[in-house]
Amino acid sequence: MQEARLEVRPARPADVPSLVLLRLANAEAHLALDADTYRVPQREAVVRHFTAVLADETGRDGVLVAEIDGRVVGMVEVSPHPDPPEHQILRPEPSAQVHTVVLPDARGLGVGSALVLAAERWATSRGVRYLSAGIHHRNADAVRFYGRHGYTDAGVSLGKSVDQRLGMRRGRTIG
């Protein structure tokens, strides 16, 4: 039996249909985690996004794909964060968000690990010194996956939904 050949490479415009499939499959999986937080984006919006990112000659965002025997089975996006404005207290540090997606039938084959390693190389080659992965707290598999690759808890992100009516006082909008 011949072993499957895994290759990670930069995404090309011809990969847009596969990237759309990955994004939409990932969205469906995230709905099961928290339907109040996640949605399935419109296919056309996803097509526009990946078409624009891959056409951007500056290469600001990185999109890499993993293929097994020529079939795209995963992707990783690396999206650099802007530096904090001068008036903020955070030190500027070249950083980026990393987001990995692997089709269910390709999990356990080293695809995700190969994608994360390639993303780290891509980021390092562009001066990025810190990668973060925003993971939903219920996504235990992703927390374990990134943990195995050296990603650690980097703090707590607190949030609150606010009642839009609270912005009204004495008949006018506060803003």
Side-chain angles (χ1 to χ4, degrees):
M1 178 177 232
Q2 186 177 4
E3 191 170 316
R5 187 167 163 265
L6 172 63
E7 177 189 359
V8 176
R9 61 169 175 77
R12 301 184 286 253
D15 295 319
V16 168
S18 295
L19 296 170
V20 171
L21 173 81
L22 286 158
R23 172 63 46 83
L24 295 177
N26 191 45
E28 291 286 349
H30 277 75
L31 279 178
L33 292 173
D34 188 342
D36 291 331
T37 299
Y38 297 104
R39 65 185 172 141
V40 176
Q42 293 295 313
R43 176 178 295 278
E44 297 77 26
V46 179
V47 169
R48 283 192 307 273
H49 166 72
F50 284 117
T51 299
V53 167
L54 297 180
D56 179 5
E57 293 182 14
T58 67
R60 178 184 146 22
D61 292 355
V63 180
L64 307 169
V65 296
E67 290 182 327
I68 293 180
D69 295 333
R71 176 181 166 237
V72 173
V73 295
M75 71 170 184
V76 63
E77 289 181 89
V78 184
S79 302
H81 295 133
D83 282 341
E86 287 183 359
H87 64 84
Q88 291 289 332
I89 64 173
L90 285 174
R91 292 177 186 259
E93 178 181 37
S95 64
Q97 177 86 15
V98 63
H99 180 71
T100 309
V101 181
V102 176
L103 290 176
D105 67 333
R107 292 189 183 147
L109 302 175
V111 174
S113 295
L115 285 166
V116 167
L117 181 60
E120 291 170 358
R121 287 184 184 138
W122 183 93
T124 300
S125 74
R126 285 155 180 82
V128 172
R129 296 192 319 227
Y130 183 81
L131 289 176
S132 61
I135 307 297
H136 192 282
H137 65 94
R138 292 186 191 137
N139 195 345
D141 290 341
V143 170
R144 276 191 302 276
F145 170 78
Y146 281 104
R148 284 194 311 268
H149 292 87
Y151 291 71
T152 60
D153 187 343
V156 176
S157 175
L158 302 176
K160 175 184 176 183
S161 293
V162 294
D163 187 332
Q164 296 300 309
R165 294 172 295 169
L166 295 177
M168 299 295 291
R169 187 182 339 212
R170 295 192 196 136
R172 64 172 209 234
T173 302
I174 298 172

